[in-house]
Amino acid sequence: MTTTTPYPPDPHAPHNELPGRIMAREMAEQPSVLRRILSQGAPAISRVAQEIAARAPRFALLTARGTSDHAALYAKYLLEIRLGLPCGLTSMSTTTAYGARPDLTDVLVTAVSQSGGSPDLVASTRAAREAGAITLAVTNNPDSPLAAVSEYHLDIMAGPERALPATKTYTASLLALYLFVEGLRGGDGTPAMALPDLAEQLLARQDEVRTLAARYRFAERMVITSRGYGYPTAKEAALKLMETSYIPALAYSGADLLHGPLAMVDNVSPVIAVVTDGKGGEVLQPVLDRLRGRGADLVVIGARHQVAQASAGFVLPTEGVAEELQPILEILPLQLLAYEVTIARGQDPDAPRALAKVTETR
């Protein structure tokens, strides 16, 4: 019989009875973290956004690794769609390994990092500032080396994160970046005020996720797909599954999936589609049709009408939630899924093998 860890776990239970207790606790903290950012962090984020907007950056670059890279990809969509600002993701090795020094005058360079301690992030941000960039660090540590070398800093206010898989720092980064971009365009972030309550409701639905997890206990590989604002969610979900349960999880844009990788999908291949309610979901529809045509075991995370057309799924409360805010909710059941699959496979999601909390790449 499969047993599962109570969620949220009992903090007084013995350590050896609670694999995953730290990750579970930190996932449960996310509604309160979102409330903290909205009530305490938003004014500072707005001030930074106004100062940077006054400098009229000509384009933007984003720098990050791992989970933070997916938050940076989300910011890329926001900057290009909401602000019309050309934006790219950087390759840090061009600066740190090859010594390239491009002219970054009046370019907004944003480095996203939970710890703010990775040497390559610090070195590339320092080089960008020396090259004339407007540098912004987005971290969970205002006293970090990355914050110190950057001209501006946004504190995501998630509190200490001890579990190796990042959960609350990811959603906190998304919300902070959303508020920042809204500040750049003169918005006040009011549409985000409903997120903490919605997050609380989603996290209370763990039994539904546990049922989904049973499908993947013996999975040998998984494919996760999305388009638009949901694509960073697909990449982050794949990372969470790989680093906790060790299942090879491949994340593809729906458009890229059709350009070759679709050939590996068959009626025994689990596919998770993150279907954002909006333009991203609309352009993903032909991909969902092709997947159904191949008999794929298709699970949809999204609006009710999309879930109804799949083998199984998880309905998100998308009604009245702007498409650009839905990624903050989409990832929550997928975090729970990674947790539940890992527990079902007899592993501890708090302590993935071969991983460290701060990865010091150079």
Side-chain angles (χ1 to χ4, degrees):
M1 179 182 295
T2 300
T3 59
T4 56
T5 302
Y7 180 83
D10 176 3
H12 303 296
H15 170 84
N16 59 7
E17 293 181 10
L18 288 175
R21 75 197 191 287
I22 303 173
M23 182 180 178
R25 183 170 61 242
E26 290 175 351
M27 286 190 294
E29 290 175 12
Q30 290 176 103
S32 63
V33 171
L34 298 177
R35 288 190 183 97
R36 186 183 309 134
I37 295 168
L38 290 167
S39 63
Q40 300 176 30
I45 294 172
S46 178
R47 285 193 296 272
V48 169
Q50 289 172 21
E51 288 189 32
I52 291 177
R55 297 174 65 173
R58 54 193 176 99
F59 63 89
L61 293 173
L62 292 145
T63 303
R65 297 283 193 204
T67 284
S68 294
D69 198 30
H70 306 150
L73 179 58
Y74 168 72
K76 181 178 187 294
Y77 278 91
L78 287 173
L79 287 162
E80 292 185 342
I81 297 169
R82 303 286 288 168
L83 207 62
L85 190 66
C87 187
L89 301 175
T90 68
S91 299
M92 281 175 275
S93 62
T94 61
T95 297
T96 60
Y98 292 94
R101 292 295 183 268
D103 180 5
L104 298 178
T105 305
D106 298 328
V107 174
L108 172 61
V109 173
T110 301
V112 186
S113 171
Q114 172 200 324
S115 67
S118 187
D120 57 351
L121 279 165
V122 175
S124 63
T125 301
R126 181 186 294 111
R129 188 170 181 179
E130 292 170 352
I134 305 163
T135 52
L136 170 68
V138 181
T139 81
N140 197 37
N141 183 2
D143 298 320
S144 64
L146 182 61
V149 300
S150 301
E151 188 175 359
Y152 298 99
H153 177 256
L154 300 183
D155 183 359
I156 66 172
M157 305 181 75
E161 189 172 59
R162 294 176 54 217
L164 286 176
T167 54
K168 63 179 181 175
T169 52
Y170 180 67
T171 49
S173 295
L174 297 190
L175 180 55
L177 287 163
Y178 167 80
L179 292 172
F180 171 67
V181 174
E182 285 301 287
L184 289 176
R185 62 193 296 270
D188 61 4
T190 297
M193 297 304 292
L195 290 176
D197 288 346
L198 292 173
E200 208 158 55
Q201 294 167 23
L202 286 172
L203 290 168
R205 294 165 58 191
Q206 192 185 16
D207 286 348
E208 293 179 52
V209 177
R210 190 172 297 144
T211 300
L212 281 180
R215 305 170 73 92
Y216 306 121
R217 183 179 179 186
F218 300 107
E220 295 183 0
R221 72 164 186 255
M222 295 173 63
V223 173
I224 306 178
T225 189
S226 189
R227 288 200 69 180
Y229 283 112
Y231 182 42
T233 307
K235 291 176 72 68
E236 173 61 10
L239 176 61
K240 284 293 155 285
L241 283 160
M242 287 189 288
E243 69 183 355
T244 56
S245 68
Y246 318 140
I247 297 174
L250 309 173
Y252 293 101
S253 157
D256 289 332
L257 185 62
L258 296 182
H259 285 269
L262 185 67
M264 71 178 174
V265 176
D266 53 30
N267 59 5
V268 296
S269 302
V271 179
I272 297 175
V274 181
V275 187
T276 305
D277 193 8
K279 295 293 185 183
E282 291 173 14
V283 295
L284 188 64
Q285 189 59 52
V287 182
L288 301 180
D289 294 339
R290 291 284 298 275
L291 288 168
R292 282 189 288 266
R294 293 187 63 82
D297 177 10
L298 177 62
V299 167
V300 165
I301 309 296
R304 185 174 300 279
H305 69 279
Q306 293 287 0
V307 172
Q309 301 178 55
S311 306
F314 186 97
V315 176
L316 293 172
T318 57
E319 186 175 351
V321 179
E323 183 177 1
E324 61 270 14
L325 285 170
Q326 290 176 36
I328 300 173
L329 302 176
E330 290 166 349
I331 192 58
L332 300 178
L334 291 163
Q335 291 173 348
L336 289 174
L337 181 67
Y339 170 88
E340 288 291 348
V341 170
T342 305
I343 294 293
R345 289 163 73 97
Q347 295 151 198
D348 186 354
D350 283 343
R353 63 193 181 204
L355 294 182
K357 191 61 178 169
V358 180
T359 304
E360 296 191 353
T361 47
R362 295 183 183 276

